[in-house]
Amino acid sequence: MISHEQIVHFSEQLSKGKAEAEAARNIMKFMCAGVGLVLQDEEVSPIVKSAFAAAHKYWFEREKNEKELNAVRVKCWDFLEAKGRDVDIEDNEDAAVRALFCVMYPDRVSDEDFVQESFQWFFEMINRVGDFSQAFEKLAAKVALEGGA
């Protein structure tokens, strides 16, 4: 599992020497790429795959698709609600969707508190899915170095 110390280290590593906006964007890209790592071994609904694709396009291709991102976020909430999981988290897919939500609010990326709270929640959900500590160590180093994954 990813420890609190690792989470703090990731945040510092992704933010070091960067202006606040660039650091926040690095953190969002890291989380988005992290969701991709988690989803590659999970069986998830096409709705979740489509939402991840929209988030990836937004953070990595710099395509300003806020409307699309907002629409797929709503579809993900509807999907969880249809499963009766709008409150409860019962399986890996539920946790992965909630981790994905952390990168589906592009208009909030300038809110430092929102980014830090999302970062904490993101890892709470990732740890529910499995132990990705080694993969995330490598990912954090890559994003910090390249500014992307």
Side-chain angles (χ1 to χ4, degrees):
M1 295 297 141
I2 299 167
S3 70
H4 176 73
E5 291 76 22
Q6 284 177 297
I7 295 169
V8 170
H9 173 71
F10 295 154
S11 180
E12 290 170 353
Q13 190 176 11
L14 294 163
S15 302
K16 187 176 181 180
K18 305 214 173 359
E20 189 176 310
E22 186 182 1
R25 189 159 189 83
N26 252 12
I27 287 171
M28 299 306 265
K29 288 173 87 171
F30 169 77
M31 288 191 294
C32 186
V35 170
L37 283 172
V38 171
L39 291 179
Q40 70 187 1
D41 293 328
E42 291 294 320
E43 289 292 323
V44 295
S45 163
I47 293 168
V48 178
K49 289 178 184 177
S50 174
F52 172 72
H56 191 274
K57 189 172 13 174
Y58 182 86
W59 294 110
F60 287 95
E61 297 172 26
R62 292 201 176 250
E63 187 171 311
K64 297 296 179 194
N65 60 332
E66 289 98 344
K67 286 183 182 178
E68 179 185 4
L69 204 52
N70 288 330
V72 295
R73 184 181 69 233
V74 169
K75 285 181 182 177
C76 284
W77 275 117
D78 291 346
F79 170 71
L80 288 176
E81 200 170 275
K83 286 175 68 177
R85 310 276 177 70
D86 51 329
V87 177
D88 298 322
I89 303 165
E90 294 185 21
D91 59 26
N92 287 355
E93 183 176 53
D94 297 348
V97 170
R98 282 175 169 74
L100 180 57
F101 283 139
C102 295
V103 296
M104 295 178 72
Y105 291 88
D107 55 327
R108 303 281 310 273
V109 75
S110 62
D111 180 343
E112 188 177 332
D113 290 337
F114 175 81
V115 173
Q116 287 303 317
E117 288 171 14
S118 292
F119 203 58
Q120 294 291 330
W121 176 252
F122 173 81
F123 283 109
E124 196 174 314
M125 294 300 99
I126 296 301
N127 281 337
R128 283 178 159 232
V129 177
D131 185 358
F132 295 91
S133 55
Q134 289 183 345
F136 274 85
E137 285 285 348
K138 291 176 188 169
L139 181 60
K142 183 175 182 175
V143 172
L145 181 66
E146 301 172 8

